[in-house]
Every structure is written in structure tokens, then in C-alpha cells.
Amino acid sequence: MSVTSTELRISATLFTGRRVRRGAAASAGLLLAAALTGCAGSAKADTGALQASGSTTVAPVASDAAEALKAKGLNVTVATQGGSAGGISQLGTGQIEIALSSKPLADKDHKAYPDADFVITQIGADAVGVIITKEVADGGVKSLSKAQVQGLFEGRISNWKEVGGPDLQVFVYDKEPGRGTREVLDKFVYGKGEPPAPPQSANYAVVGGNTETRNKLKSTRGSIAPLSTGFIDGHSDLVAVPLDGIAPTMANVASGKYPMTRPLYMITNGQPKGATKQYIDYILSAEGQKLLPKHGYLTRQQMGL
């Protein structure tokens, strides 16, 4: 993959990537992540920049911190190649220094990269919402049960009138494999069980990052998708529907009452040191923690850490 000299001088740029559906297609996603990490590795070699990549949820905070540290001479490139799983893959293969992740490490990550000494630093937390359009919410959908969420995402509920809403077809935007947002939804709906194969429906599509998901929701009547609630701040045409009557308010997220709360991580290979430690320490500092509420996330203090 070719990269221009101008692109290499960018110190804090957000990139978005799109992979494939979950299930059997996950291996294809890993191949794509591997191809993308090659590009990240070459940029690192040419610029000497600290490389951070992964979750599109963590990336806005990471990018803001990178921008703030420019004045102190710290050069950080922030990317979102392959989401959380892509970041972990790139870290495990030595392409980057920091993986941005909105999901915890799994046993499969340790098995895939046995030589990596993954060290996790939680920088904050956020809520994953089941996001619907204002039209659907105004039409009567004020709360959804776990069973209803399952039925919607599995394609068994195909019209909003089946859950008290308007006579309008449901269009599901699902997250691609490896995205932390989808894993949070799966844990809420299925616990430790495995989700079924995606429905074979013209009203079902796979999306990647948070911005893409939000854009799809806004442009499709009757749509639903899992999405970080911080990404709908200021977008009055989208609604995070309460789950079993519990809304994703800051208080409900901080207390753990809201069921789809997740930590936000920065992961390193070994204890952070040098520029990596300077960067993470800044995000953990009082000044750096102010970046989280800016994006609708909770600070470590709010989470009692």
C-alpha cells in the first residue's frame, strides 16, 4: 500500500476501515487487518511516530490527546483499522505501540499472539445503545426488552408495529466481526452463548465504524443498530431506546444499572514506557480525563476507579 510523504507527516489522523460479516467471514477480516497493519508498519518506520490503532469509540479521545501533546513534541498517529480486533492484531504482530479497544482481551487473543505481553489500561467507559430513529420512538417504541432486541437483530421481528411502534419495516445495521460494540450487544442478548448466523434478509446489512453506523441510521427509515451513545449526542433524529425500561443515562452507566456498559482501553505490549507512557499518562491525568465527557464517555473517577 503506497503512502504519500504528505500523509506520513500527519500526526493525528483518523482512518476508517470496513471488513466483513461475523461467523465464517471473520477469517477474511483478519486477513484484511493483517494487510492494513503492513501499511501502518511502513508509516511507523518512515516517521518515527507513536502508532495507536483500533476502536472507533476510543479513537476520538486518542486523537484529541495526540493533538494536545503536539506542542510537547510528541508525534502520535491514530488510526481505526479493523476496530478493536484490528488494533489488538496490529499490536500482537508488532506493527503499533498501542491498541485502542472497547472490548476486553479474549483467550483467543492470547492464543493468537503467545509472545505478546498484553497490558491493559482502562481510560474510561461508555454505553452501547440500541439506537433507533426518532420516527420509530415517536411512533410508540419507548423501551425494548432483551427478547425484543434479540428478535429484531435476528430478523424475526420485521415490522415496528410488532413491538408497539409504527407500521414500518425494520432495517437492521449489524456490526462487523471484532467490533467491541457488537460484542457488548451479544453479551447482553446471549450471555456466554453464541449468536446465530445473520438473517438472510434484504433488510439486514453489516457496517463498520461508529460514524458509518450513525450515517446509515440517519439515512434509513425504520433502522436500528448498536452504537456508542456518545456518537448520537447532538443528533436529535436518533434515540437510544431504554432496555427493559432502563435508559443509558450517565448515572445508570456509572452504577452499572444500564446493562450495556463497557470499559474503554489502551493496550500495550509490556508495561508502557517512554513516549507510550507519556501519552497514556496524559490521558489518565486530570487534564486528559476531561476529553472523555467531551465525547459522551465517563471518566475513571465517575466509574469509581
Side-chain angles (χ1 to χ4, degrees):
M1 180 180 296
S2 63
V3 182
T4 69
S5 59
T6 299
E7 290 169 328
L8 292 178
R9 288 195 294 269
I10 299 175
S11 62
T13 306
L14 292 179
F15 298 89
T16 56
R18 181 169 181 172
R19 293 206 328 241
V20 291
R21 295 164 48 140
R22 56 196 163 112
S27 58
L30 290 175
L31 290 174
L32 177 56
L36 290 169
T37 58
C39 180
S42 64
K44 173 182 169 183
D46 290 341
T47 67
L50 181 68
Q51 297 283 326
S53 182
S55 167
T56 58
T57 302
V58 182
V61 174
S63 185
D64 284 355
E67 189 66 28
L69 289 171
K70 271 185 178 181
K72 299 181 180 180
L74 190 63
N75 188 16
V76 184
T77 297
V78 178
T80 57
Q81 297 164 349
S84 297
I88 293 168
S89 174
Q90 292 169 70
L91 180 66
T93 54
Q95 300 293 336
I96 60 175
E97 287 84 9
I98 302 172
L100 312 176
S101 182
S102 57
K103 70 184 186 74
L105 287 167
D107 289 341
K108 64 181 180 180
D109 297 316
H110 294 286
K111 290 178 182 178
Y113 311 104
D115 296 330
D117 177 22
F118 291 128
V119 175
I120 297 174
T121 301
Q122 183 175 347
I123 65 167
D126 89 319
V128 172
V130 173
I131 309 301
I132 60 177
T133 63
K134 186 175 185 296
E135 178 185 12
V136 171
D138 289 348
V141 179
K142 305 302 182 186
S143 179
L144 291 171
S145 68
K146 182 186 296 186
Q148 288 172 329
V149 172
Q150 182 177 350
L152 287 160
F153 278 88
E154 290 181 2
R156 292 183 286 103
I157 297 174
S158 59
N159 192 298
W160 285 108
K161 67 182 180 181
E162 298 175 60
V163 290
D167 185 3
L168 183 64
Q169 282 195 327
V170 176
F171 196 106
V172 175
Y173 285 110
D174 200 358
K175 285 282 192 171
E176 62 187 357
R179 296 282 178 176
T181 304
R182 178 68 216 201
E183 290 197 7
V184 172
L185 179 66
D186 283 345
K187 184 178 179 181
F188 167 64
V189 175
Y190 302 106
K192 294 182 179 180
E194 288 293 323
Q200 299 299 311
S201 169
N203 284 10
Y204 177 94
V206 175
V207 289
N210 288 329
T211 301
E212 179 191 0
T213 305
R214 184 179 64 201
N215 291 342
K216 293 291 188 182
L217 283 163
K218 290 169 75 72
S219 64
T220 309
R221 292 187 68 197
S223 56
I224 182 174
L227 178 64
S228 170
T229 57
F231 272 75
I232 67 167
D233 285 351
H235 296 268
S236 58
D237 51 346
L238 298 177
V239 176
V241 65
L243 301 177
D244 291 319
I246 302 172
T249 63
M250 287 292 188
N252 287 340
V253 173
S255 68
K257 186 177 180 181
Y258 179 73
M260 295 208 302
T261 299
R262 62 177 172 182
L264 305 178
Y265 298 119
M266 289 193 165
I267 306 174
T268 54
N269 189 350
Q271 291 294 334
K273 57 185 178 181
T276 301
K277 186 176 188 301
Q278 180 186 355
Y279 179 59
I280 293 177
D281 283 351
Y282 172 78
I283 295 173
L284 297 178
S285 71
E287 183 179 352
Q289 286 287 287
K290 292 177 182 177
L291 300 174
L292 285 113
K294 174 182 171 183
H295 297 287
Y297 308 152
L298 277 77
T299 64
R300 286 173 53 88
Q301 183 179 24
Q302 288 173 308
M303 295 303 296
L305 300 175

